[in-house]
Amino acid sequence: MTDGPTHLLERLIQQRVTLTLKDSRHLTGKLLGVDEHMNLVLDDAEETTPDVTRHLGRVVLRGSNVVSLNAPQGGGPSS
Amino acid sequence: MTDGPTHLLERLIQQRVTLTLKDSRHLTGKLLGVDEHMNLVLDDAEETTPDVTRHLGRVVLRGSNVVSLNAPQGGGPSS
Amino acid sequence: MTDGPTHLLERLIQQRVTLTLKDSRHLTGKLLGVDEHMNLVLDDAEETTPDVTRHLGRVVLRGSNVVSLNAPQGGGPSS
Amino acid sequence: MTDGPTHLLERLIQQRVTLTLKDSRHLTGKLLGVDEHMNLVLDDAEETTPDVTRHLGRVVLRGSNVVSLNAPQGGGPSS
Amino acid sequence: MTDGPTHLLERLIQQRVTLTLKDSRHLTGKLLGVDEHMNLVLDDAEETTPDVTRHLGRVVLRGSNVVSLNAPQGGGPSS
Amino acid sequence: MTDGPTHLLERLIQQRVTLTLKDSRHLTGKLLGVDEHMNLVLDDAEETTPDVTRHLGRVVLRGSNVVSLNAPQGGGPSS
Amino acid sequence: MTDGPTHLLERLIQQRVTLTLKDSRHLTGKLLGVDEHMNLVLDDAEETTPDVTRHLGRVVLRGSNVVSLNAPQGGGPSS
């Protein structure tokens, strides 16, 4: 299962990703770290709403609040 | 239990599937990977609503947010 | 505990069952597989609402979303 | 802890019990089986609302949806 | 940690306690048993609302629905 | 990690603390015990609302309902 | 995975951080401790709303209620 979720997340480190959280917030930032609970660390994180972009700096997210992680450029060849 | 949920999910890799999430979103994409928590990776993912289709690229979904996975063509002979 | 929930579910494989999900959807289909988390696989699944029946094909359901499984014909003698 | 919850549930097998579920439904039926997650099997189950009684046959309930189980006759001497 | 929650609950067996459940119901009854998940058994249980008291007999409660247990007389000397 | 959450909670035993629960209730009482799930025992507990203070006696709280514990005097020198 | 979430949290000890909780509260304080469940201890904690800042002293937070932790200054060089 070499293209499993954990493997892909590790290949995305240092790339910019967008998260959707359970409270409907969207955060974009550079992925610095991840663990097996899908706890995540973002650097240069920004929260974007239709109205405004708020700069947050470094953010640690508890995995239980993460719905999905979107990597527009993917994580290298695999498909 | 050779037709159990995990076994079937692995046979669906590289097929297009449609997910229903707890927040009522529907995502369609090619299944790239899955693990025992039902964390999933989709490639060429699209979110479809009655009004619009939004292209998302590669998406990692945390299993705890997944309600069901629908594979219109099934996963090969088994029934 | 030979009539425990897991034992009964395995005896229901290949029978048509109706599921009630936490999001209030009702799905009917032939039970293909089940595991210890009550993750389920249905074949020829249909979602029925008061207004319409929608054919879904093969569906994998994450057990955490399942409220109950109703087997009108039971699973063989046991009561 | 010989009067613990699991012990009592096993003594209630073959008796009629009433369940309260998280979605506020009430089900009555003969308890056929139970496991350590409080997954339950009811036979001759009926769902009762103020307006109507619906016969369901055999029902498997995922323990995580069960709030409480009421056994009007108790489970034999113990108090 | 001899005054920990589990230890205290065991000392409360055979006493009348009042439970607050997540669905806001209040149940009062004699505590017959408890386990490490805070699954509880009450005897002579009553559900009390501002308007009415309903006698329930013996009730098994799944710990995940319990918010708090109130023992007006405490569990013997300890404070 | 000598100032970790569990360590601090143990140092707070016998002090008055205020809890915020998921159902928005606030309880104040003397902390008698705690375990690794953050199940808690309060003595001389009081529930305070803007309108009224209700005396509850001894209360056992299931950790999964606890949001935060506030100790105005801290737990001794550590900062 | 040296920049994983747990590693970063430990490097943030003694720094001021801002938490977002599931009940939408925001707390700011000096991080005193953290464990593997993301249970956290804050010192000199303040709850800030658009209208008011309330001083809370020392606060223990159960990790399951934490959505995210924001460290404006990051946790030292790593990006």
Side-chain angles (χ1 to χ4, degrees):
Chain A
M1 208 178 289
T2 55
D3 284 320
T6 305
H7 185 78
L8 177 63
L9 284 173
E10 289 178 5
R11 277 194 289 148
L12 291 174
I13 284 176
Q14 297 294 329
Q15 294 194 29
R16 283 192 81 77
V17 298
T18 297
L19 302 181
T20 302
L21 303 186
K22 279 195 185 168
D23 59 10
S24 300
R25 289 193 295 156
H26 295 273
L27 297 184
T28 299
K30 185 169 71 171
L31 185 64
L32 281 193
V34 58
D35 68 18
E36 71 276 19
H37 305 292
M38 225 179 267
N39 297 323
L40 301 167
V41 184
L42 294 187
D43 204 18
D44 293 322
E46 291 178 339
E47 179 180 350
T48 51
T49 68
D51 299 324
V52 68
T53 295
R54 199 158 62 96
H55 192 76
L56 298 171
R58 198 164 292 181
V59 175
V60 182
L61 291 123
R62 199 172 190 266
S64 56
N65 302 290
V66 175
V67 175
S68 56
L69 179 151
N70 181 205
Q73 313 105 306
S78 134
S79 55
Chain B
M1 208 177 289
T2 56
D3 284 319
T6 305
H7 185 78
L8 177 62
L9 284 173
E10 290 178 5
R11 276 194 288 147
L12 291 174
I13 285 177
Q14 298 294 328
Q15 294 194 29
R16 283 192 81 77
V17 298
T18 298
L19 302 180
T20 302
L21 303 186
K22 279 195 185 169
D23 60 10
S24 300
R25 289 193 295 155
H26 295 272
L27 297 185
T28 299
K30 184 168 71 172
L31 185 64
L32 281 193
V34 59
D35 67 18
E36 72 275 19
H37 305 292
M38 225 179 266
N39 297 323
L40 300 167
V41 184
L42 293 187
D43 204 19
D44 293 323
E46 291 178 339
E47 179 180 351
T48 52
T49 68
D51 299 325
V52 68
T53 294
R54 199 157 62 96
H55 192 75
L56 298 171
R58 197 164 292 180
V59 176
V60 182
L61 291 124
R62 199 172 190 266
S64 56
N65 302 290
V66 174
V67 175
S68 57
L69 179 151
N70 181 205
Q73 313 107 304
S78 135
S79 55
Chain C
M1 207 177 289
T2 56
D3 284 320
T6 304
H7 185 78
L8 177 62
L9 284 173
E10 289 177 5
R11 277 194 288 147
L12 291 174
I13 284 177
Q14 298 295 327
Q15 294 193 29
R16 283 192 82 76
V17 298
T18 297
L19 303 180
T20 302
L21 303 185
K22 279 196 185 168
D23 59 10
S24 299
R25 289 194 294 156
H26 294 273
L27 297 184
T28 300
K30 184 168 72 173
L31 185 64
L32 280 193
V34 59
D35 67 18
E36 72 275 19
H37 305 292
M38 225 179 266
N39 297 323
L40 301 167
V41 184
L42 293 187
D43 204 19
D44 293 324
E46 291 178 340
E47 179 180 351
T48 52
T49 68
D51 299 326
V52 68
T53 294
R54 198 158 62 97
H55 192 76
L56 298 171
R58 197 163 293 181
V59 175
V60 182
L61 291 123
R62 199 171 190 267
S64 55
N65 302 290
V66 175
V67 175
S68 57
L69 179 151
N70 182 205
Q73 312 107 304
S78 134
S79 56
Chain D
M1 208 177 291
T2 56
D3 284 321
T6 304
H7 185 79
L8 177 63
L9 284 172
E10 290 177 5
R11 277 194 288 147
L12 291 174
I13 283 177
Q14 297 294 327
Q15 293 194 30
R16 284 192 80 77
V17 298
T18 297
L19 303 180
T20 302
L21 303 186
K22 280 196 184 167
D23 59 10
S24 299
R25 289 194 294 157
H26 295 273
L27 297 184
T28 300
K30 185 169 72 171
L31 185 64
L32 281 192
V34 58
D35 67 18
E36 72 275 21
H37 305 292
M38 226 180 264
N39 297 322
L40 300 167
V41 185
L42 293 187
D43 204 20
D44 293 323
E46 290 179 340
E47 179 180 351
T48 51
T49 68
D51 300 326
V52 69
T53 295
R54 199 158 62 97
H55 192 75
L56 297 172
R58 196 164 294 181
V59 175
V60 182
L61 291 122
R62 199 171 190 266
S64 55
N65 302 290
V66 174
V67 175
S68 57
L69 178 151
N70 182 205
Q73 313 106 304
S78 136
S79 57
Chain E
M1 208 178 291
T2 55
D3 284 321
T6 305
H7 185 79
L8 177 63
L9 284 172
E10 289 177 5
R11 276 194 289 148
L12 291 173
I13 283 176
Q14 298 294 328
Q15 293 193 31
R16 284 192 81 77
V17 297
T18 297
L19 303 180
T20 302
L21 304 186
K22 280 196 184 168
D23 60 9
S24 299
R25 289 193 295 156
H26 295 273
L27 297 185
T28 299
K30 184 169 72 171
L31 185 64
L32 281 193
V34 59
D35 67 18
E36 72 274 19
H37 305 293
M38 227 180 266
N39 297 323
L40 300 166
V41 185
L42 294 187
D43 204 21
D44 293 323
E46 291 178 339
E47 179 180 351
T48 51
T49 68
D51 299 326
V52 69
T53 295
R54 199 158 62 97
H55 192 76
L56 298 170
R58 197 163 293 181
V59 175
V60 182
L61 291 123
R62 199 173 190 266
S64 56
N65 302 290
V66 174
V67 176
S68 57
L69 178 151
N70 181 204
Q73 313 107 305
S78 137
S79 56
Chain F
M1 209 178 289
T2 55
D3 284 321
T6 304
H7 184 79
L8 177 62
L9 284 173
E10 289 178 5
R11 277 193 288 148
L12 292 173
I13 284 176
Q14 297 295 328
Q15 293 194 31
R16 284 192 81 78
V17 298
T18 297
L19 302 181
T20 301
L21 303 185
K22 280 195 185 169
D23 60 9
S24 299
R25 288 194 295 156
H26 295 272
L27 298 184
T28 300
K30 185 168 72 172
L31 186 64
L32 281 192
V34 57
D35 67 18
E36 72 274 19
H37 305 293
M38 227 180 267
N39 297 323
L40 301 166
V41 184
L42 293 187
D43 204 19
D44 293 323
E46 291 178 338
E47 179 181 351
T48 51
T49 67
D51 299 326
V52 69
T53 294
R54 199 157 61 96
H55 193 75
L56 298 171
R58 197 164 292 181
V59 175
V60 182
L61 292 123
R62 198 172 191 266
S64 56
N65 302 290
V66 174
V67 175
S68 56
L69 179 151
N70 181 205
Q73 313 106 306
S78 137
S79 57
Chain G
M1 209 178 288
T2 55
D3 284 320
T6 305
H7 186 78
L8 177 63
L9 284 172
E10 289 178 4
R11 277 193 288 147
L12 292 173
I13 284 176
Q14 298 294 328
Q15 294 194 29
R16 285 192 79 77
V17 298
T18 297
L19 302 180
T20 302
L21 303 185
K22 279 195 186 170
D23 60 10
S24 299
R25 288 193 295 156
H26 295 273
L27 297 184
T28 299
K30 184 167 73 170
L31 186 64
L32 280 193
V34 57
D35 67 18
E36 72 275 19
H37 305 292
M38 226 180 266
N39 296 323
L40 300 167
V41 184
L42 294 187
D43 204 19
D44 293 324
E46 291 178 338
E47 179 181 350
T48 51
T49 68
D51 298 326
V52 69
T53 295
R54 198 158 62 97
H55 192 76
L56 298 171
R58 198 164 292 181
V59 175
V60 182
L61 291 123
R62 199 172 191 267
S64 56
N65 302 290
V66 175
V67 175
S68 56
L69 178 151
N70 182 205
Q73 312 105 306
S78 134
S79 56

